[in-house]
Amino acid sequence: MIPSLKNKHFLTDDDWTIAELDTVFETAFQLKSSFYAEEPTIYLPHKTLFMIFFEQSTRTRNSVEAGMTQLGGHAHDLTADKMQISHGEAPKDTAIILSRMGHGIACRNCFYGIGKKYIDEMAKYSSKPVMSLQDDVYHPFQGIADLMTIFEHLGRNTKGLKVTVSWAYADTHSKPLSVPQTQILLFPRYGIDVTVANPKEFPLSKNIIEKAKLNAQAGGGSIRFTNNMDEAFEGAQIVIPKNWGGFGYYDVDYYLQNESECKKEMKNNLEKYKSWICDEKRIKLADKNVKLMHALPADRGHEVTDEILDNENISIVFDEAENRLHTAKAVMALTM
Ligand code: CP
């Protein structure tokens, strides 16, 4: 028996049961097939979603805004600087007001130690569903798009599938921990064997690692950790090479009190690991039918070579990005 998902917040995939997530996947597959058949799917006529972005976005912003249009509603594309948030208006007040004017609130706030708390505060006071469009801890929409893509390419029986989530070098910006943390929490719930590789100065958060181990026990998957990227690629059926910042190396309160020193140390640590790239040599260590996934944007030539990212026999990153649309529509249609 699936309880109604109407008005349910979407803050982490972990808050949703397997039965609820499976309902999202069934809905997403139906919406995808209607999208290709150009059949209308007006499930949210005249409804309004308020999107608030504290950071830049290509996939998330456009999948949610296009998704709302395709469901018959509208999404307001808001940034904190357009709102009284920039003058200090509290998340509680913002949430109460927007939830009286529309049918859902979605927010991206990735500031370390701040983002998830901000979105949770909105969820506490909103009378309509609140969705995380990524925060400092979780990226729930990315997690379900990733799993939908795995189902499409490797089938619905994911028990025993070998997936490697590996840190990789990038020189763009300190990316949040939220994508790999979402993946290591979600995949083992579906029986997947996850290997996590990272340099010792770039761990994921301790509490997430402990929760992922519990999820693996409950879901029949497994999780193991290594500081060796080559070892992590051996026999992998899916590899996900992605940079993340060294936030997990620090206690959150310590980081917030010593932010500039921590950032300097993270930058120095980063430069030690330029060899952490997904290239042909590493792909050869993996399963012969290995697939490459990446949430994007990719740091080409640093996280992964063009040769691998553009190899259509290996790379499924653009299917993964497209599935952000279908899964976002499913969550919005079910909750709003
Ligand atoms: N993967 C992802 O969330 O992409 P954007 O930052 O472009 O939304």
Side-chain angles (χ1 to χ4, degrees):
M1 156 90 182
I2 313 286
S4 166
L5 296 172
K6 176 120 174 123
N7 257 346
K8 188 172 172 71
H9 297 312
F10 188 58
L11 304 175
T12 84
D13 297 327
D14 242 36
D15 293 340
W16 287 44
T17 65
I18 293 289
E20 289 169 339
L21 291 172
D22 284 345
T23 303
V24 172
F25 293 124
E26 296 322 318
T27 310
F29 279 115
Q30 284 165 21
L31 285 163
K32 185 165 184 171
S33 118
S34 296
F35 180 79
Y36 277 88
E38 297 194 14
E39 293 163 359
T41 51
I42 309 298
Y43 301 145
L44 299 175
H46 312 300
K47 292 206 169 176
T48 299
L49 176 73
F50 298 104
M51 303 188 296
I52 307 170
F53 282 90
F54 285 78
E55 289 94 9
Q56 297 82 353
S57 165
T58 296
R59 279 138 291 269
T60 307
R61 185 193 306 279
N62 291 297
S63 59
V64 172
E65 185 163 347
M68 276 303 290
T69 303
Q70 292 164 23
L71 293 168
H74 177 71
H76 288 211
D77 180 10
L78 302 164
T79 51
D81 64 300
K82 282 185 191 165
M83 302 176 70
Q84 295 294 6
I85 292 170
S86 58
H87 291 147
E89 185 158 31
K92 170 181 175 176
D93 299 343
T94 305
I96 292 171
I97 293 151
L98 295 182
S99 65
R100 285 188 178 210
M101 293 183 179
H103 306 90
I105 299 173
C107 181
R108 168 174 286 190
N109 184 337
C110 297
F111 291 109
Y112 189 60
I114 294 169
K116 177 165 169 47
K117 286 186 186 144
Y118 187 94
I119 298 173
D120 284 352
E121 184 75 357
M122 287 209 293
K124 191 169 163 192
Y125 292 102
S126 170
S127 57
K128 303 287 163 45
V130 172
M131 302 163 212
S132 170
L133 298 179
Q134 188 177 19
D135 54 54
D136 55 321
V137 186
Y138 302 113
H139 195 350
F141 278 112
Q142 187 65 52
I144 54 173
D146 291 349
L147 203 45
M148 180 178 181
T149 310
I150 291 174
F151 292 154
E152 283 179 333
H153 283 273
L154 290 118
R156 285 303 284 258
N157 180 7
T158 47
K159 173 86 182 126
L161 189 71
K162 291 182 171 38
V163 176
T164 288
V165 174
S166 177
W167 186 92
Y169 177 79
D171 70 354
T172 45
H173 66 290
S174 288
K175 302 182 190 190
L177 303 176
S178 46
V179 170
Q181 293 195 157
T182 295
Q183 291 164 339
I184 73 161
L185 286 167
L186 180 61
F187 295 169
R189 294 176 70 196
Y190 279 81
I192 294 174
D193 295 331
V194 175
T195 298
V196 182
N198 56 271
K200 63 184 185 340
E201 298 91 343
F202 292 87
L204 299 175
S205 298
K206 282 196 190 70
N207 62 327
I208 298 292
I209 290 172
E210 293 314 310
K211 183 71 175 65
K213 288 178 185 169
L214 295 176
N215 284 3
Q217 273 171 21
S222 66
I223 184 152
R224 71 181 182 103
F225 296 85
T226 174
N227 299 128
N228 184 320
M229 193 175 187
D230 285 348
E231 185 198 316
F233 268 55
E234 282 167 16
Q237 292 166 280
I238 294 176
V239 290
I240 312 179
K242 188 187 179 313
N243 182 259
W244 58 80
F247 305 104
Y249 197 53
Y250 307 99
D251 170 77
V252 176
D253 292 333
Y254 177 84
Y255 178 88
L256 291 174
Q257 283 157 22
N258 302 279
E259 196 166 347
S260 59
E261 289 85 351
C262 292
K263 280 185 174 165
K264 204 182 293 171
E265 190 176 40
M266 275 160 52
K267 177 91 185 110
N268 290 339
N269 287 335
L270 179 70
E271 296 312 319
K272 294 191 256 176
Y273 298 108
K274 285 190 171 167
S275 66
W276 283 59
I277 183 169
C278 175
D279 57 8
E280 193 173 1
K281 181 174 71 66
R282 286 210 164 96
I283 281 290
K284 282 191 174 146
L285 298 171
D287 184 86
K288 65 180 181 359
N289 296 315
V290 66
K291 299 292 176 207
L292 171 87
M293 293 181 68
H294 192 299
L296 303 180
D299 189 340
R300 285 174 174 262
H302 288 137
E303 291 177 308
V304 54
T305 60
D306 288 343
E307 187 184 20
I308 302 300
L309 193 68
D310 295 328
N311 183 327
E312 288 178 5
N313 293 322
I314 297 174
S315 177
I316 55 174
V317 299
F318 297 116
D319 291 341
E320 183 183 1
E322 181 196 318
N323 284 335
R324 294 292 309 275
L325 172 71
H326 310 300
T327 46
K329 283 164 72 176
V331 169
M332 295 188 294
L334 291 162
T335 60
M336 292 173 61

